[in-house]
Amino acid sequence: MMAAILLASAASLSAQSFSDRMSEKSGRKMRFGFKIDPGASFLNPQENGVTRNSGRFYFSYGVLADWFIDREERYAVASGVQITHLGSVMQYEAGKGLNGFTTTSAEYDLRLQYIEVPVMLKLRTTAEKGFDFYGQFGGIVGMPIRARANVISNMQQFEKQGVLRQIQPLTAGMLLGAGIEYPLSETLTGVVGINYQNNFVDITRNGKWNDGRVTANSFILRLGIYF
């Protein structure tokens, strides 16, 4: 009899503790997490004489941060900080491209690394079995921190050419996303989603490349976890 009473008391205390924690969670103002985003990136030249031969693997990793607007956590400002790798293989006709490679046509395997900050409005809705569906829309700003190009010109190959000074110092774009959140435990929430990023700022400095306007698009898989 005593054991049953103790067991019932322990269960009651455990349930109360869980309820208190959930109450505290529902009133929180923000949450943090981590994410990795694999995907595909494509540089888009918009002038004759420059074409894209292929895209490159996109990869991003960083910190997630949601600032909740309402107590029910249905609306939030989603942000964070991320390191992003993207690029493409580009073909430049003679007379275009970097100095030293303009006498003949040249191929540039351009690999870029950025530090970026997204800012989005995030909307969530609750479904059955604990799933939350979300959609988000906003923008992203960033700056390049590393830029290299493998160049093939005049039947010669030039590896790992540093081109950071030939890249625009700032970038900005639009970001769209949607996905699913699912509670893994009392404090952990998993995230799976898809994002589309459209950078509308010219990537290469036209005075250095003579290539008009080159922008970037990325299709991204979101894999993350919130604490």
Side-chain angles (χ1 to χ4, degrees):
M1 185 66 177
M2 183 61 69
I5 294 174
L6 291 174
L7 183 60
S9 299
S12 176
L13 289 173
S14 178
Q16 182 63 41
S17 177
F18 175 77
S19 176
D20 291 342
R21 285 195 294 270
M22 293 305 293
S23 296
E24 292 173 1
K25 179 180 176 182
S26 65
R28 63 186 173 176
K29 297 298 183 181
M30 63 186 304
R31 64 176 178 174
F32 291 99
F34 295 99
K35 60 95 174 183
I36 55 173
D37 292 348
S41 64
F42 303 91
L43 301 186
N44 302 309
Q46 301 174 23
E47 183 173 300
N48 292 334
V50 185
T51 57
R52 181 184 68 236
N53 288 350
S54 67
R56 285 200 61 81
F57 178 69
Y58 172 102
F59 185 72
S60 177
Y61 58 92
V63 177
L64 300 170
D66 285 358
W67 282 269
F68 294 108
I69 300 173
D70 65 322
R71 184 176 178 81
E72 290 74 27
E73 302 183 5
R74 294 291 171 250
Y75 308 98
V77 175
S79 187
V81 180
Q82 63 190 40
I83 302 297
T84 298
H85 302 257
L86 57 86
S88 276
V89 179
M90 312 281 286
Q91 186 71 40
Y92 282 70
E93 292 183 355
K96 295 183 178 294
L98 297 175
N99 290 335
F101 305 112
T102 58
T103 56
T104 63
S105 63
E107 181 183 86
Y108 295 79
D109 182 0
L110 193 56
R111 308 181 184 199
L112 307 173
Q113 184 176 351
Y114 287 85
I115 181 168
E116 296 177 319
V117 177
V119 179
M120 295 169 289
L121 177 62
K122 186 174 186 178
L123 311 177
R124 297 198 306 164
T125 180
T126 302
E128 295 182 0
K129 298 182 180 180
F131 284 98
D132 285 341
F133 294 92
Y134 73 86
Q136 55 189 13
F137 168 81
I140 190 166
V141 295
M143 60 182 296
I145 55 177
R146 189 176 186 182
R148 289 186 175 182
N150 296 330
V151 185
I152 300 176
S153 177
N154 198 23
M155 303 299 291
Q156 291 183 290
Q157 186 165 348
F158 304 86
E159 298 283 345
K160 298 180 180 179
Q161 301 295 302
V163 295
L164 183 59
R165 294 185 178 181
Q166 287 74 42
I167 301 298
Q168 294 284 8
L170 293 173
T171 188
M174 177 188 71
L175 190 60
L176 297 171
I180 297 172
E181 297 183 4
Y182 185 77
L184 302 175
S185 70
E186 294 178 19
T187 57
L188 297 179
T189 300
V191 182
V192 178
I194 54 174
N195 287 344
Y196 170 69
Q197 183 173 326
N198 178 22
N199 289 51
F200 46 73
V201 174
D202 188 15
I203 288 179
T204 57
R205 294 187 177 185
N206 193 39
K208 301 289 186 178
W209 297 76
N210 187 29
D211 59 357
R213 183 177 173 83
V214 178
T215 58
N217 292 338
S218 300
F219 299 90
I220 306 159
L221 174 65
R222 165 63 49 86
L223 300 172
I225 189 168
Y226 285 104
F227 298 94

